[in-house]
C-alpha cells in the first residue's frame, strides 16, 4: 500500500506514494478525534453498564453489589482517566476488556470482524459487477423493455427494507423451495467450518445485501452511461466506426466510471449498516449484533475499537477510491 | 455439509419432504442412530458467561454444572452433588451438606468440599463481578471440615436457604489464584453436569457433548447444540425449515405451529407475571379506591386471549397459583367488573366530568403508565390497561421509555413490571413489597408500606415450619390484595415448539428468566427420539 509499483506509476497514478503518506498523516488525528468523540457520546448516555450487565438480576441485586461491580470496572472514574487508561492500553497493543461481552476486545473483533468483512466484501463485489453490466446494457437500449423493467425493479427494491427482503428470501429459497439454508454460518450440526458449507450459507445473505444495495448503483451507472453515450468523444468513436461493444464498454462506461467510484466511497457506510441488519436476519455472528450490545451496555472499549476499525476501513476505502480514480482517468493527478 | 453434487442428485431423487430434510444440512438421514443422538435447540438469549459464579444457570438446570441440590419436574428440591438434602440446625443458622461419593469434573478430577467452598467464597468476594452476592447476603462463611462435608454459617435464619444451593459448583483447582472475571474458564468451563462444553462460537452456537461419566447416569443423547437466534421471526422460520428440534418462540409465532404437521407446541406455566406498579405517593394512584377500581376493572381474560394468544392466565398476586404458598382468596373475576369498579370510584367521590374522565376536588383521575419501549408484550398490556381504565373513567397515558428514562421516574409514575420466580415467595416479594426497601430503585419503587405485610414477609423468611410459612404468605397475599399497590394482570406461559417424535419432554413451572438453562430442555439429557 505504501509504495505503488513503478509500472503502475508510469501508467498514470502520479504521486500515489506522497498521497498515501499525506492521508496517513490526516488519518491519525481523525482516529484520535473519533475515539474522543466516542467516549464523550458514551459519557452522555445515562445507561448504567452494571445494570446492563446484571440483566434481570438488576431486580434482585442490591445497590452496593452493583456499585462494587462498577468500582471493579472503573467505569465511574472521570472520563479523562478512562480515556487515558484506554489509550495507554492501546499503545501497549491491548484493546482492553469488553464489559458487555466479558472477553478481551481483540477476541471479540477477531472472532467477528472477519465475517462482517467477508459479507460486505462479497456483497460489494456482486453489486459492482452486476450494476456495471446491467446498468450499461440498460443505457445502451434506453427506453427499451429491458431498461424499463430494470428501472422498475430497482425502484421497487429501493422501497423494500433490507430486513423484509431477508425474511422474504428465507421464505422463498429456504422454506418453499428448500434450496438454501435459512441462516447460520454453517450447518447447525456440522462440527467444522468448511469453505463449501460457509459459502452455501452465505449465498442468501450476500445476495440479499447486494440486492438491497444494488438499485442506487444500477440507476447511477445506467444514467451516467446513457449521458456519456452522448459525449463528443463517444460520438466520435462511434463515427470512427468502432464496434458497438468497444464504444459502450471502452469509451462510454469508462467516462461514467469516475463518478461511480466516488459513489462507492460515499455509499460504503450504508453498506455496513445494511450488513448489520442482514447479520441479524441470517443469524450470522458478525459485528452487527455485538455493536448494538456494546452501545446498549456503554461498553467503551469495545465501542471504541469498533468505531476505530470502521473509521479506518472508510478512510482506506476513500483512499483506494482516489487511487482508482487516478487509474481510471489519466487526467487526474493526485499530487496536483 | 451437503455438497452441491450430492445435493443435485438428492434433488432428483427425493420427494418434497425429503428435500427439506436434506437441506437442513443434517449429517445423516433422520432416524439413523447418529442423527438421533444430537439435539438442536434454539433460544433468543445468549449467556455472556458460562460460569455459575458469574450468574450462569444458577437455578439448577445449567446442563454443564450441578449444585449441591437441584429441582425435579415439580420444582421440589432433590439432592444433586449432596448425597441427601443438606441439614439445617435447630436455630436455622448452620447448614451442613454431605457430598456424594465419586463425582468427578469433566476433566476427571474428583469433586471435593474444597470446590464447593471455593465456589461460594468466590461469589462473596467483592473483587468478583457477581450479581449473586445480593442473593447470598445472609451467608457469613462456608467451610469444609473434611473433604466430604461443607458447612454454611448464616447471619440469620433464612428459611429458603436450601433453594440457594442450586448454584453450580466450579473446580477450585482451575480457578484459584485467577481473576475470575476474566478467566478463560468462563467461556470453556469444566463442571460436573451431564454435558461438557465442546465449543462456543459466540453469536452463533454452543456445542455440548455428553459426559459419559455423569454421576446421574450417561446422557441418552450424544450431543446438544444450542443455536443463538436473537430475532423471533428468524427463529420461527428456521424452526419451520427443520433446523431445530425445539425452539423458544413468542406465543403468537408459536401458535402458528399448532396447525403445522410434525410439531407440538408446549405452553409451559410460569411464575413470570406482568403487573402495573402504582406509586402510592401519586395524587391519583395513591388513592385506594382508584387502585381497587383498576384491580377489578381490568379485563384479564381479554389480555390472555388477545395479547398473549391464549398463552397465559390471569394474575392476582406475586405468588403463582402453582406454588405451594399460593392463597386462592385474592383471585377475582377474570373479566372486567366495570360495575364494581365504577361503584368504588363513585363512593370515593371521583365524579365523571364532561369528557367522561372522573375528577375529585379539581384533581383529574389521570396518571402516566410507563413501559419499556422495546418490549412489545408490555406495550400491548399497557394499551389494554389504558383502554380498560378509560371505560371506568380513568385516563391512563401510556408512555414507552428506555429503562434509563424509567429509572429516573420509577418512584413517581406507574410502571408495567414483570418478574417472578416459582421457587420461593421470599426471593422477589421480600424486597418488592417490604417497607424497608421503599423507594429504592427497582425494589419497592411505589413505596408500599404495610406493617401487616412486613411482618408476614419477615415470618415467611424466619420460620422453617412449612405450615407456618404458608400461613404467613396467606396473610401477605390477602393484605396485598386489600391494599392493591400493584394491579397484577397475567402470568405468562413460555411457549416452545418441539418436533414430534421426541420423548422425555417434561415441562416444569419456569421463572422469568429462561435461555440456555432453565428452559423446556432442563432435562434434555434424558430426551430420546422414537
Amino acid at each position: 500500500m505504501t509504495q505503488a509499483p513503478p509500472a503502475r506509476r508510469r501508467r498514470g497514478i502520479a504521486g500515489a506514494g506522497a498521497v498515501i503518506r499525506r492521508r496517513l498523516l490526516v488519518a491519525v488525528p481523525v482516529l484520535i478525534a473519533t475515539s474522543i468523540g466516542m467516549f464523550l457520546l458514551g459519557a452522555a448516555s445515562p445507561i448504567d453498564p452494571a445494570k446492563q450487565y446484571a440483566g434481570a438480576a438488576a431486580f434482585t441485586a442490591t445497590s452496593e453489589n452493583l456499585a462494587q461491580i462498577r468500582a471493579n470496572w472503573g467505569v465511574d472514574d472521570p472520563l479523562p482517566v478512562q480515556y487515558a487508561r484506554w489509550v495507554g492500553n492501546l499503545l501497549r497493543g491491548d484493546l482492553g476488556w469488553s464489559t458487555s461481552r466479558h472477553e478481551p476486545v481483540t477476541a471479540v473483533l477477531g472472532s467477528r470482524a472477519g465475517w462482517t468483512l467477508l459479507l460486505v466484501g462479497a456483497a460489494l463485489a456482486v453489486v459492482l459487477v452486476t450494476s456495471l453490466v446491467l446498468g450499461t446494457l440498460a443505457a445502451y437500449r434506453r427506453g427499451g423493455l429491458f431498461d424499463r423493467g430494470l428501472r422498475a425493479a430497482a425502484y421497487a427494491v429501493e422501497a423494500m427494507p433490507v430486513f423484509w427482503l431477508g425474511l422474504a428470501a428465507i421464505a422463498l429459497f429456504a422454506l418453499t423451495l428448500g434450496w438454501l439454508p435459512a441462516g447460520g454460518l454453517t450447518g447447525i450440526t456440522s462440527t467444522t467450518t468448511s469453505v463449501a458449507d460457509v459459502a452455501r450459507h452465505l449465498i442468501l445473505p450476500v445476495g440479499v445485501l447486494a440486492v438491497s444495495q444494488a438499485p442506487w448503483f444500477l440507476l447511477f451507472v445506467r444514467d451516467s452511461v446513457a449521458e456519456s453515450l452522448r459525449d463528443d468523444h463517444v460520438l466520435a468513436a462511434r463515427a470512427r466506426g468502432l464496434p458497438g461493444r468497444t464504444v459502450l464498454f471502452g469509451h462510454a462506461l469508462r467516462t461514467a466510471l469516475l463518478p461511480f467510484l466516488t459513489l462507492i466511497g460515499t455509499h460504503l457506510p450504508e453498506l455496513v449498516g445494511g450488513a448489520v441488519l442482514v447479520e441479524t436476519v441470517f443469524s450470522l455472528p458478525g459485528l452487527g449484533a455485538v455493536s448494538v450490545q456494546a452501545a446498549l451496555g456503554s461498553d467503551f472499549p469495545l465501542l471504541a475499537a469498533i468505531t476505530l476499525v470502521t473509521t479506518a476501513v472508510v478512510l482506506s476505502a476513500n483512499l483506494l477510491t482516489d487511487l482508482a480514480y487516478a487509474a481510471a482517468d489519466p487526467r487526474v493527478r493526485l499530487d496536483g | 455439509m451437503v455438497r452441491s453434487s450430492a445435493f443435485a442428485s438428492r434433488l432428483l431423487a427425493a420427494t418434497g419432504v425429503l428435500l427439506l430434510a436434506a437441506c437442513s444440512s443434517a449429517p445423516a438421514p433422520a432416524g439413523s442412530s447418529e442423527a438421533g443422538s444430537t439435539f438442536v435447540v434454539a433460544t433468543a438469549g445468549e449467556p455472556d458467561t458460562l460460569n455459575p459464579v458469574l450468574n450462569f444457570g444458577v437455578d439448577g438446570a445449567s446442563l454443564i454444572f450441578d449444585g449441591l441440590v437441584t429441582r425435579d419436574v415439580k420444582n421440589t428440591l432433590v439432592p444433586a452433588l449432596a448425597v441427601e438434602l443438606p441439614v439445617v440446625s435447630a436455630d436455622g443458622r448452620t447448614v451442613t451438606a454431605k457430598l456424594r461419593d465419586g463425582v468427578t469434573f469433566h476433566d476427571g478430577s474428583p469433586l471435593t468440599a474444597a470446590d464447593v467452598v471455593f465456589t461460594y467464597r468466590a461469589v462473596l468476594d467483592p473483587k468478583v463481578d457477581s450479581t449473586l452476592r445480593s442473593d447470598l447476603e445472609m451467608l457469613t462463611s462456608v467451610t469444609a471440615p473434611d473433604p466430604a462435608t461443607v458447612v454454611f454459617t448464616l447471619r440469620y435464619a433464612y428459611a429458603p436457604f436450601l433453594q440457594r444451593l442450586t448454584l453450580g459448583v466450579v473446580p477450585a483447582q482451575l480457578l484459584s489464584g485467577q481473576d475470575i472475571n476474566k478467566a478463560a474458564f468462563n467461556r470453556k468451563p469444566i463442571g460436573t453436569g451431564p454435558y461438557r462444553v465442546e465449543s462456543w462460537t459466540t453469536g452463533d452456537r454452543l456445542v455440548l457433548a455428553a459426559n459419559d461419566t455423569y454421576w446421574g447416569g450417561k446422557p441418552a443423547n450424544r450431543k446438544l447444540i444450542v443455536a443463538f437466534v436473537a430475532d423471533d421471526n428468524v427463529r420461527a422460520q428456521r424452526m419451520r425449515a427443520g433446523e431445530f428440534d425445539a425452539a423458544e418462540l413468542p406465543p403468537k409465532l408459536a401458535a402458528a405451529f399448532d396447525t403445522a404437521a410434525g410439531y407440538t407446541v408446549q405452553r409451559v406455566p410460569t411464575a413470570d407475571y406482568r403487573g402495573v406498579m402504582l406509586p402510592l405517593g401519586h395524587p391519583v394512584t395513591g388513592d385506594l379506591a382508584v387502585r381497587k377500581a383498576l384491580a377489578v376493572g381490568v379485563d384479564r381474560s381479554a389480555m390472555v386471549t388477545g395479547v398473549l394468544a391464549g398463552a397465559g392466565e390471569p394474575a392476582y398476586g406475586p405468588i403463582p397459583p402453582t406454588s405451594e404458598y399460593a392463597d386462592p382468596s385474592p383471585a377475582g373475576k377474570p373479566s372486567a367488573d366495570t360495575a364494581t369498579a365504577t361503584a368504588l370510584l363513585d363512593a370515593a367521590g371521583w365524579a365523571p366530568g364532561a369528557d367522561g374522565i372522573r375528577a375529585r376536588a379539581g384533581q383529574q383521575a389521570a396518571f402516566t403508565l410507563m413501559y419499556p419501549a422495546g418490549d412489545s408484550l408490555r406495550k400491548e398490556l399497557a394499551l389494554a390497561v389504558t383502554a380498560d381504565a378509560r371505560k371506568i373513567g380513568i385516563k391512563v397515558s401510556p408512555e414507552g421509555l428506555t429503562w434509563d428514562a424509567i429509572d429516573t421516574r420509577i418512584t413517581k409514575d406507574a410502571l408495567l413490571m414483570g418478574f417472578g420466580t416459582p421457587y420461593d415467595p421470599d426471593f422477589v416479594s421480600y424486597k418488592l413489597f417490604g417497607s424497608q426497601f421503599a423507594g429504592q430503585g427497582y425494589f419497592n419503587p411505589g413505596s408500599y408500606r404495610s406493617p401487616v405485610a412486613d411482618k408476614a414477609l419477615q415470618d415467611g423468611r424466619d420460620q422453617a415450619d412449612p405450615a407456618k410459612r404458608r400461613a404467613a404468605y396467606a396473610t401477605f397475599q390477602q393484605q396485598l390484595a386489600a391494599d392493591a399497590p400493584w394491579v397484577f394482570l397475567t402470568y405468562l406461559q413460555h411457549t416452545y415448539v418441539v418436533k414430534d417424535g421426541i420423548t422425555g419432554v417434561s415441562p416444569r413451572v419456569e421463572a422469568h428468566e429462561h435461555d440456555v438453562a432453565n428452559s423446556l430442555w432442563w432435562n434434555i439429557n434424558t430426551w430420546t427420539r422414537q
Side-chain angles (χ1 to χ4, degrees):
Chain A
M1 271 258 298
T2 50
Q3 282 295 320
R8 298 272 306 155
R9 192 174 289 175
R10 268 200 304 277
R11 273 184 51 204
I13 311 185
V19 163
I20 292 166
R21 271 195 297 279
R22 206 162 56 225
R23 287 298 182 83
L24 282 178
L25 280 181
V26 177
V28 173
V30 166
L31 289 175
I32 293 175
T34 313
S35 66
I36 292 178
M38 203 288 312
F39 265 77
L40 287 176
L41 281 177
S45 139
I47 293 171
D48 176 355
K51 257 185 199 164
Q52 194 71 34
Y53 164 77
F59 287 91
T60 49
T62 57
S63 46
E64 302 84 59
N65 193 169
L66 295 178
Q68 177 68 54
I69 290 173
R70 278 198 301 276
N72 291 353
W73 290 350
V75 291
D76 286 343
D77 291 348
L79 204 64
V81 175
Q82 290 192 54
Y83 187 71
R85 189 165 55 218
W86 179 77
V87 171
N89 288 338
L90 187 68
L91 293 178
R92 283 196 299 274
D94 175 8
L95 284 175
W97 182 260
S98 159
T99 53
S100 68
R101 286 306 317 159
H102 310 288
E103 57 183 330
V105 169
T106 42
V108 180
L109 291 182
S111 63
R112 304 217 177 201
W115 300 121
T116 301
L117 283 179
L118 183 63
L119 175 66
V120 172
L124 188 63
V126 173
V127 165
L128 295 188
V129 172
T130 51
S131 62
L132 283 176
V133 173
L134 296 181
T136 308
L137 290 177
Y140 189 62
R141 293 251 178 267
R142 267 194 312 280
L145 197 63
F146 178 69
D147 182 33
R148 278 181 290 148
L150 196 70
R151 276 189 299 156
Y155 286 125
V157 170
E158 189 65 33
M160 297 172 190
V162 185
F163 205 82
W164 184 87
L165 267 180
L167 288 175
I170 292 177
L172 180 63
F173 294 104
L175 297 185
T176 310
L177 298 172
W179 290 351
L180 291 163
L185 197 57
T186 54
I188 194 70
T189 52
S190 73
T191 46
T192 54
T193 315
S194 79
V195 175
D197 197 15
V198 172
R200 223 170 75 79
H201 279 78
L202 280 182
I203 293 175
L204 276 188
V206 167
V208 165
L209 184 57
V211 165
S212 73
Q213 298 293 322
W216 258 97
F217 294 91
L218 203 66
L219 294 172
F220 186 89
V221 173
R222 185 256 171 212
D223 285 352
S224 50
V225 172
E227 189 78 12
S228 67
L229 277 172
R230 295 194 205 96
D231 277 3
D232 290 344
H233 75 278
V234 179
L235 291 174
R238 197 178 259 178
R240 286 204 304 276
L242 290 174
R245 204 190 317 149
T246 315
V247 173
L248 187 62
F249 289 99
H251 293 79
L253 178 59
R254 188 159 179 183
T255 317
L257 211 55
L258 294 174
F260 182 65
L261 289 171
T262 322
L263 186 71
I264 299 171
T266 54
H267 233 70
L268 201 71
E270 198 169 309
L271 194 66
V272 173
V276 170
L277 292 175
V278 168
E279 280 172 15
T280 312
V281 176
F282 290 95
S283 349
L284 294 173
L287 280 181
V290 108
S291 312
V292 175
Q293 210 175 6
L296 289 176
S298 288
D299 185 349
F300 288 167
L302 183 54
L303 267 184
I306 292 175
T307 317
L308 285 193
V309 169
T310 324
T311 313
V313 167
V314 171
L315 287 176
S316 348
N318 283 342
L319 175 60
L320 284 175
T321 311
D322 285 355
L323 293 179
Y325 212 111
D329 187 347
R331 289 170 303 181
V332 176
R333 283 187 58 83
L334 284 168
D335 55 355
Chain B
M1 294 291 286
V2 184
R3 308 243 168 199
S4 54
S5 58
F7 173 66
S9 62
R10 278 186 206 200
L11 187 101
L12 291 170
T15 64
V17 179
L18 281 176
L19 178 66
L20 270 176
C23 288
S24 68
S25 306
S32 85
S33 61
E34 184 54 35
S37 66
T38 296
F39 277 96
V40 183
V41 301
T43 178
E46 178 176 8
D48 21 59
T49 174
L50 295 178
N51 189 341
V53 169
L54 298 178
N55 215 350
F56 168 70
V58 291
D59 282 315
S62 83
L63 299 171
I64 303 164
F65 293 92
D66 297 299
L68 290 172
V69 297
T70 188
R71 299 191 175 91
D72 66 8
V73 67
K74 289 185 171 139
N75 280 328
T76 310
L77 284 186
V78 290
L81 294 181
V83 72
E84 54 184 22
L85 284 184
V87 179
V88 183
S89 67
D91 69 350
R93 291 179 54 190
T94 307
V95 177
T96 310
K98 288 276 177 202
L99 291 189
R100 191 181 289 275
D101 244 5
V103 176
T104 56
F105 284 100
H106 297 148
D107 63 357
S109 61
L111 168 94
T112 69
D115 299 307
V116 183
V117 168
F118 176 84
T119 303
Y120 283 86
R121 282 188 184 162
V123 171
L124 296 181
D125 181 358
K127 284 270 166 285
V128 175
D129 302 335
S130 178
T131 46
L132 288 177
R133 202 143 52 237
S134 308
D135 291 345
L136 289 175
E137 55 198 358
M138 74 298 294
L139 186 59
T140 37
S141 77
V142 47
T143 53
D146 66 69
T149 310
V150 183
V151 178
F152 296 89
T153 312
L154 310 190
R155 213 161 291 194
Y156 47 83
Y158 183 68
F161 185 71
L162 293 197
Q163 301 275 357
R164 292 297 189 205
L165 301 183
T166 51
L167 172 65
V169 172
V170 299
Q173 212 186 343
L174 288 178
L175 276 167
S176 50
Q178 283 197 49
D179 178 357
I180 291 179
N181 301 322
K182 299 187 174 179
F185 180 91
N186 302 343
R187 327 218 115 237
K188 198 126 177 47
I190 302 288
T192 55
Y195 291 99
R196 62 185 165 76
V197 175
E198 190 173 282
S199 66
W200 179 13
T201 317
T202 52
D204 188 30
R205 76 187 70 167
L206 175 68
V207 181
L208 302 175
N211 169 17
D212 286 339
T213 56
Y214 181 50
W215 59 267
K218 197 169 151 172
N221 42 69
R222 306 306 310 140
K223 203 169 260 192
L224 171 65
I225 297 169
V226 186
F228 304 118
V229 184
D231 186 76
D232 295 335
N233 285 302
V234 175
R235 211 159 53 253
Q237 287 197 321
R238 292 181 65 182
M239 182 77 207
R240 226 171 246 285
E243 286 190 43
F244 311 133
D245 293 298
E248 172 214 345
L249 286 176
K252 283 178 182 169
L253 285 172
F257 285 85
D258 274 326
T259 50
Y263 300 98
T264 305
V265 179
Q266 293 280 356
R267 293 181 171 81
V268 181
T270 72
D272 191 3
Y273 56 69
R274 295 290 178 272
V276 179
M277 183 279 297
L278 297 165
L280 277 84
H282 189 281
V284 175
T285 57
D287 184 45
L288 179 63
V290 170
R291 296 198 303 274
K292 296 200 84 157
L294 284 170
V296 297
V298 292
D299 194 339
R300 294 174 174 86
S301 55
M303 292 179 194
V304 170
T305 48
V307 180
L308 301 180
E313 54 194 314
Y316 302 95
I319 300 176
T322 46
S323 165
E324 59 172 317
Y325 298 104
D327 179 63
S329 60
K333 268 203 260 181
S335 56
D337 185 352
T338 314
T340 308
T342 48
L344 277 164
L345 292 168
D346 288 341
W350 293 96
D355 52 357
I357 308 297
R358 291 168 184 270
R360 185 176 71 180
Q363 171 71 50
Q364 223 190 14
F367 63 93
T368 302
L369 172 56
M370 307 185 291
Y371 62 87
D375 188 332
S376 57
L377 178 64
R378 289 195 210 192
K379 174 184 165 188
E380 287 183 51
L381 287 173
L383 294 178
V385 170
T386 304
D388 291 346
R390 188 68 184 77
K391 286 179 197 150
I392 56 172
I394 296 173
K395 184 180 158 195
V396 177
S397 314
E399 203 173 327
L401 300 165
T402 63
W403 275 113
D404 307 284
I406 290 172
D407 282 358
T408 61
R409 293 165 49 178
I410 196 167
T411 54
K412 298 188 280 290
D413 286 313
L415 170 64
L416 219 140
M417 289 194 49
F419 207 45
T421 157
Y423 309 127
D424 198 277
D426 176 82
F427 283 5
V428 186
S429 295
Y430 188 79
K431 285 172 178 168
L432 277 183
F433 301 103
S435 307
Q436 51 173 315
F437 300 101
Q440 284 184 25
Y442 294 142
F443 285 172
N444 180 358
S447 298
Y448 171 60
R449 287 186 178 86
S450 158
V452 179
D454 282 350
K455 179 167 188 312
L457 285 170
Q458 196 61 48
D459 286 349
R461 165 173 281 211
D462 294 343
Q463 293 172 348
D465 178 12
K468 285 185 181 157
R469 292 196 80 199
R470 257 194 295 279
Y473 285 115
T475 308
F476 163 69
Q477 288 166 84
Q478 285 151 19
Q479 188 60 40
L480 204 64
D483 295 334
W486 286 40
V487 176
F488 287 90
L489 303 173
T490 59
Y491 280 103
L492 311 185
Q493 286 171 346
H494 292 161
T495 43
Y496 300 88
V497 175
V498 185
K499 259 189 204 165
D500 283 348
I502 296 172
T503 48
V505 182
S506 335
R508 63 180 188 188
V509 180
E510 290 178 2
H512 176 71
E513 282 190 293
H514 58 302
D515 40 50
V516 174
N518 301 322
S519 282
L520 182 69
W521 39 84
W522 64 277
N523 66 341
I524 199 164
N525 52 315
T526 62
W527 288 15
T528 51
R529 264 181 247 269
Q530 279 166 354

